[in-house]
Amino acid sequence: MCMKRNAIIGFFSRLVLVAAAFSLTVAATFAQSYCVRAGATGSGTGVDWVNAFPVLPATLVRGATYFIADGSYPNYDFNDPVSGSTVITIKKATQSIHGTDTGWNSTYGDGQAVFNSPLSFSTSNWIIDGQFRNESDWFDGASYGIKIAHNGQDTQVGCRQKTANNITLKHVFLEALGTALPDTTIARYSLRIEDYNNGGRFSGYTVTRCFFDKGNVPIFSRENDGMVVEYTAFADNDSNDANHGEAISAYFGSHNFIFRYNKFRSIVGTAVLAYQGNGWQVYGNVMWNQWVGDGVISAFSGSATANNNTFHHNTIYGGRGYNNGVFYAAGSTGNTAYNNLWINNTGPTSIEGAHNYNAFSDANARGEANAQINVPASILMDPATGDFRLRSATGPGVAIGAPYAADLTGISRGSDGNIDRGAYEFGGIVDTTPPIITNVAVSSVTSVSAVIGWLTQEPSTSIVDYGTTTSYGSTANNLSLVTNRAIILGSLTPNTLYNYRVRSADSSGNVATSSNFTFLTGLGDTNAPTVSLTSPANGTTVSNVIVLSATASDNVGIVGVRFYVEGIEVNDDMVTPYAFNFDTALRTNGSYKIYSQARDAAGNIKWSGTNNITISNPLGTLPVSAVNWTFSENSGTLTLDGDRNIALTFRNGASWTTGRTGAGSAMLLDGLSGRADATNNAAFDYDGNMITVAAWVKLDNINDWQQLIAKVSDVGTFAPPYFCWHLFAGTVSTTQWRPQFQLANTTQTGVNIGSTAVVNYGDWVHIVGVYDGAAVRVYVNGLEQGSAPQTGNILRAPQPIYVGAHGLPGEFAKGAIDDIRIFPTALNASQIQMLYIGVSAAPRPTPPSNLRVASN
């Protein structure tokens, strides 16, 4: 309760009368508490809620608790001198725990106390406790008792002197700006523990049941020992090339950290946890939708202190980036990774250190003697809503013992006879939640059929009840467990209103049923429409923008006319007159077949005749390239630029193969270690604001990033900013890949653009990356397929050009590369089309005649 300071006098008077209660009375007397309420207008002594402090007083009493009511409070410096290990506690007032009842009003404790940052600590022994949050949703920021708001500074909570130790944050919501500060070179920290001007080390930090939202690096720490972060949520941090983000960044020897039972959502940057330290225990955490470069947990490059760390019983879901595995750093010892669960992660999942009994939903089981690579995503309860509990047991993991003997809900590992992999133990949890049905729709309605589709958030069956009344009477189904389905209803009656509902049952037998829907079948029309392509005329030569037009008629009515160029639909016009402006400059010069298709409400279609046209747009003149490696030698270990005699040297088994034209040769790379490099040369080491990089490429799938041509920023390492510029390939599937171009300016701000068009593995493709001082662009086979804004001069580094790898080296390419050209200027669209057409003596492939693309 809140007490006056002279209460100790009463204590001594009672001591004589109640000696038997000595110890209890001492404890009660010295455990002072004070009341703080924004807007209070009493005496301001803090003795009760009528006379509460309106803000935290400048001087606080060691051993006291300060109860804080709802409201807004200014920033504060916690700097009161220490008294042994005596703690000062700042605690959110609640209806049940608020000190004295004098003057108390329940409205003081039903909301949130908001401190405007920055808060700073320069002395030790503090507890900040919001007392409550929504345990069903850790990402509900409004549910935390205490919130620390962001006011645009670089640090929300700062512990900037090593005299600040033994600090606990509990039930606290730290909400960062989530947008760039005016000085974009400043990183943004929610909790910053850093004092690099003085000797010694930090210690005794605990973060429990908090929420770090947005920001750049939520927790940043140097020279810190024994920090504990548990039952805490991290979400949606900000990251860019200048300020790489992580949820946790702890280095300069931050040892014996414990990260357990936390939830990390949508973390972007180099890693989820980036560290330099020994004795870390990372277990029972869930990480999802992250986009990271070096692994979900990664030691700083070249770290000499990354030993005896553990990464056990974690669930990693839906991650993207270069690597969603565990990087403990080369040369480190005693590191282990066991019983983790990786599901639906793209890119590689490489794991350093001793690892085993990890489970995967893909083929990334790198060296796991007991790998489980057939874990379906459906084993998880509901990833879309953040529920990563298990529906069933995984393959058996290995018993590790304390402190890993329970999951984050308290279920003992192996309580059902099987130690599960991942953050959650199955423990016989029964799924009682039915699927969620969304996006119910009817399509492709004819006079006698219709297609019913809908989505569920988890795999489940597909059942349609339908009929002319809400009693239905007919059923169509597919009992396969899927999330997206299309059920065909056949043998329907023309011109009839049908009622229908959909049902889905999950693997646990929970059933969801939709409301009633209706659709009207067609009129039973069997007469196809007529259609004629009226423009452009057959045999004409065209350029720039032309009009594609058609006329169509039907005995009932036309619902639309589609236009096709070389078998690809370019427009669907559902309103007469049926016409479309077609920009021929987006196509390479040559012959094209154009036709149209009309359709009526009953689903009857009719094709027009085919008009053959020739596109002939004026092409630009190519400037002289800075370097051009044609690979015409077909022997030896190098290829030379014809004008400047610059050598590109083959390394580690890179060899020769047939070139793109069939008449020349190309470089063949094995995807393992083969590559080529050219010593730094003024011809391609310039720092202007324009460049064009082009090559013919044919790749094979290795389920990983593949570097094509890279001007690296360093050799023998892979650290920011990684590249000055590079053309590279990102995997899309086992059959397709995506061309990409990235370029960094002199501020080391990099912009990466991926092509909207994907490429089949095994096909030759011409790729061009362009920077014109305003944007980074990527072209595929002569056409621009993506762009992103970028300004400034190009980052310059006196390093080689690598072909087929980056400068570590790594991310080796597998396939063939031919005719590399680099220009010290930005080619325009017509010049790139000229480059695409002119580099090959082989004609463009002739499209098949009378090609038709059927449409549903």
Side-chain angles (χ1 to χ4, degrees):
M1 63 180 181
C2 300
M3 301 182 64
K4 295 182 179 179
R5 295 175 182 262
N6 62 5
I8 192 170
I9 298 173
F11 158 68
F12 282 114
S13 64
R14 291 191 303 274
L15 178 62
V16 177
L17 301 175
V18 197
F22 176 77
S23 60
L24 294 177
T25 308
V26 170
T29 301
F30 283 94
Q32 293 172 299
S33 60
Y34 297 92
C35 306
V36 183
R37 177 170 60 87
T41 58
S43 65
T45 58
V47 296
D48 55 36
W49 289 105
V50 175
N51 300 293
F53 294 119
V55 297
L56 276 176
T59 300
L60 305 179
V61 178
R62 282 285 164 186
T65 297
Y66 291 81
F67 287 100
I68 310 292
D70 300 357
S72 180
Y73 300 90
N75 57 299
Y76 194 86
D77 182 13
F78 296 93
N79 58 7
D80 293 280
V82 298
S83 176
S85 59
T86 306
V87 173
I88 297 176
T89 301
I90 311 299
K91 183 173 287 191
K92 174 66 178 67
T94 67
Q95 179 62 24
S96 57
I97 304 176
H98 54 262
T100 180
D101 288 336
T102 303
W104 172 255
N105 187 309
S106 62
T107 61
Y108 299 162
D110 59 2
Q112 197 169 57
V114 180
F115 283 93
N116 291 317
S117 57
L119 301 185
S120 62
F121 292 85
S122 54
T123 59
S124 297
N125 306 325
W126 299 90
I127 296 174
I128 310 295
D129 185 2
Q131 289 217 67
F132 58 84
R133 71 168 177 187
N134 179 1
E135 289 297 336
S136 297
D137 183 4
W138 299 2
F139 299 92
D140 178 9
S143 74
Y144 286 76
I146 292 177
K147 173 182 175 179
I148 301 173
H150 201 298
N151 283 332
Q153 67 287 333
D154 71 331
T155 300
Q156 287 179 266
V157 177
C159 306
R160 305 302 303 278
Q161 300 178 41
K162 293 195 176 92
T163 52
N165 295 294
N166 301 319
I167 295 171
T168 295
L169 298 182
K170 187 176 183 180
H171 297 114
V172 176
F173 172 36
L174 294 95
E175 183 181 40
L177 281 176
T179 56
L181 295 174
D183 182 354
T184 57
T185 65
I186 296 177
R188 289 162 290 169
Y189 309 106
S190 297
L191 172 60
R192 187 175 186 177
I193 308 166
E194 178 184 33
D195 175 11
Y196 52 83
N197 293 320
N198 299 293
R201 304 183 65 79
F202 289 102
S203 64
Y205 279 81
T206 299
V207 175
T208 181
R209 288 176 165 80
C210 294
F211 176 24
F212 293 82
D213 191 24
K214 306 180 181 69
N216 178 240
V217 178
I219 298 180
F220 180 84
S221 173
R222 291 176 181 240
E223 301 174 302
N224 192 358
D225 292 328
M227 185 173 186
V228 177
V229 181
E230 61 183 6
Y231 300 101
T232 291
F234 298 83
D236 305 314
N237 74 313
D238 173 68
S239 183
N240 55 52
D241 285 345
N243 298 317
H244 284 294
E246 301 94 20
I248 315 295
S249 181
Y251 60 113
F252 280 79
S254 292
H255 303 304
N256 303 312
F257 276 37
I258 296 175
F259 281 91
R260 60 189 176 198
Y261 310 134
N262 302 293
K263 297 181 181 181
F264 300 88
R265 183 188 72 192
S266 300
I267 301 301
V268 179
T270 55
V272 177
L273 277 67
Y275 76 103
Q276 182 191 57
N278 302 323
W280 280 48
Q281 296 176 14
V282 180
Y283 61 93
N285 303 284
V286 182
M287 306 172 182
W288 73 96
N289 295 347
Q290 66 276 355
W291 191 311
V292 293
D294 296 332
V296 290
I297 177 172
S298 176
F300 286 98
S301 272
S303 174
T305 53
N307 303 313
N308 303 317
N309 300 292
T310 60
F311 186 80
H312 299 332
H313 282 297
N314 300 284
T315 296
I316 304 97
Y317 176 89
R320 297 163 289 172
Y322 292 97
N323 182 12
N324 277 272
V326 180
F327 174 62
Y328 280 139
S332 59
T333 61
N335 300 304
T336 56
Y338 292 106
N339 294 348
N340 300 292
L341 179 61
W342 274 272
I343 290 184
N344 282 9
N345 297 283
T346 60
T349 304
S350 57
I351 306 174
E352 302 292 339
H355 53 95
N356 210 337
Y357 294 94
N358 296 296
F360 307 82
S361 67
D362 51 34
N364 279 322
R366 306 291 177 85
E368 302 289 323
N370 295 280
Q372 181 177 327
I373 60 173
N374 61 344
V375 186
S378 59
I379 198 174
L380 302 176
M381 279 289 191
D382 189 3
T385 61
D387 187 350
F388 293 90
R389 292 176 300 157
L390 297 172
R391 293 181 179 277
S392 59
T394 68
V398 62
I400 309 175
Y404 315 104
D407 75 354
L408 61 77
T409 64
I411 298 177
S412 297
R413 296 287 180 187
S415 57
D416 60 350
N418 181 80
I419 295 175
D420 289 296
R421 311 180 195 195
Y424 289 94
E425 190 73 8
F426 174 57
I429 297 173
V430 178
D431 176 15
T432 60
T433 304
I436 300 173
I437 294 174
T438 59
N439 297 81
V440 180
V442 62
S443 62
S444 303
V445 179
T446 70
S447 60
V448 294
S449 65
V451 177
I452 309 298
W454 69 99
L455 302 177
T456 53
Q457 92 287 3
E458 62 174 317
S460 52
T461 60
S462 312
I463 305 169
V464 181
D465 301 315
Y466 65 100
T468 57
T469 69
T470 53
S471 296
Y472 307 111
S474 299
T475 299
N477 63 61
N478 183 338
L479 299 184
S480 300
L481 298 179
V482 296
T483 58
N484 186 1
R485 71 273 292 157
I487 302 297
I488 300 174
L489 309 183
S491 302
L492 304 179
T493 303
N495 196 27
T496 300
L497 182 68
Y498 278 86
N499 292 271
Y500 73 97
R501 70 181 181 189
V502 302
R503 292 182 284 144
S504 288
D506 63 19
S507 59
S508 299
N510 302 301
V511 179
T513 303
S514 76
S515 57
N516 186 69
F517 298 89
T518 63
F519 66 89
L520 180 66
T521 53
L523 298 176
D525 177 17
T526 60
N527 295 323
T530 61
V531 61
S532 175
L533 185 66
T534 56
S535 176
N538 186 46
T540 58
T541 298
V542 298
S543 61
N544 300 316
V545 177
I546 63 172
V547 176
L548 306 186
S549 63
T551 59
S553 62
D554 185 70
N555 63 320
V556 177
I558 297 293
V559 297
V561 173
R562 295 186 175 106
F563 294 92
Y564 294 81
V565 176
E566 289 296 327
I568 304 300
E569 182 184 326
V570 294
N571 183 252
D572 185 2
D573 196 343
M574 292 178 282
V575 179
T576 185
Y578 306 112
F580 168 60
N581 290 331
F582 176 59
D583 188 356
T584 66
L586 297 178
R587 303 298 175 110
T588 57
N589 289 342
S591 298
Y592 289 84
K593 298 181 183 298
I594 298 178
Y595 42 85
S596 59
Q597 177 211 74
R599 64 192 186 281
D600 63 18
N604 301 305
I605 63 171
K606 184 71 173 182
W607 295 92
S608 73
T610 298
N611 288 357
N612 295 287
I613 65 168
T614 300
I615 294 177
S616 180
N617 286 301
L619 297 175
T621 302
L622 290 177
V624 176
S625 60
V627 64
N628 182 196
W629 290 303
T630 62
F631 300 94
S632 58
E633 292 84 356
N634 201 24
S635 64
T637 59
L638 56 81
T639 183
L640 294 175
D641 168 77
D643 293 328
R644 296 174 178 80
N645 215 35
I646 300 171
L648 181 67
T649 304
F650 291 21
R651 309 281 188 189
N652 300 336
S655 58
W656 298 92
T657 188
T658 302
R660 189 259 171 183
T661 65
S665 52
M667 181 171 65
L668 181 64
L669 300 166
D670 60 8
L672 299 173
S673 61
R675 60 176 175 84
D677 57 65
T679 303
N680 186 54
N681 190 289
F684 47 73
D685 183 26
Y686 40 83
D687 58 0
N689 65 349
M690 293 187 181
I691 192 173
T692 301
V693 185
W696 281 93
V697 180
K698 182 174 71 170
L699 294 180
D700 295 328
N701 178 31
I702 56 174
N703 196 34
D704 203 348
W705 300 101
Q706 300 190 49
Q707 295 296 330
L708 304 176
I709 310 166
K711 182 65 164 67
V712 299
S713 61
D714 206 351
V715 172
T717 185
F718 193 57
Y722 305 107
F723 305 95
C724 300
W725 50 261
H726 64 135
L727 274 178
F728 61 109
T731 183
V732 175
S733 68
T734 57
T735 59
Q736 292 182 314
W737 60 280
R738 187 183 310 281
Q740 297 184 228
F741 182 55
Q742 183 177 31
L743 180 139
N745 61 21
T746 51
T747 68
Q748 298 190 7
T749 299
V751 168
N752 173 29
I753 183 64
S755 166
T756 56
V758 296
V759 179
N760 293 329
Y761 286 112
D763 288 352
W764 278 106
V765 61
H766 190 247
I767 306 174
V768 182
V770 177
Y771 175 52
D772 59 11
V776 175
R777 307 177 191 277
V778 63
Y779 290 76
V780 178
N781 286 344
L783 300 179
E784 182 178 333
Q785 297 291 355
S787 66
Q790 173 70 305
T791 58
N793 286 349
I794 302 168
L795 178 65
R796 182 177 183 179
Q799 303 298 344
I801 280 183
Y802 275 65
V803 176
H806 64 50
L808 189 59
E811 296 179 351
F812 296 98
K814 183 178 183 181
I817 298 181
D818 197 0
D819 200 72
I820 295 174
R821 301 194 190 198
I822 304 173
F823 298 85
T825 187
L827 299 190
N828 59 35
S830 64
Q831 289 173 318
I832 289 171
Q833 197 170 107
M834 180 67 177
L835 184 64
Y836 167 56
I837 297 172
V839 294
S840 174
R844 294 177 63 252
T846 301
S849 60
N850 299 319
L851 183 64
R852 295 290 185 269
V853 177
S855 299
N856 291 330

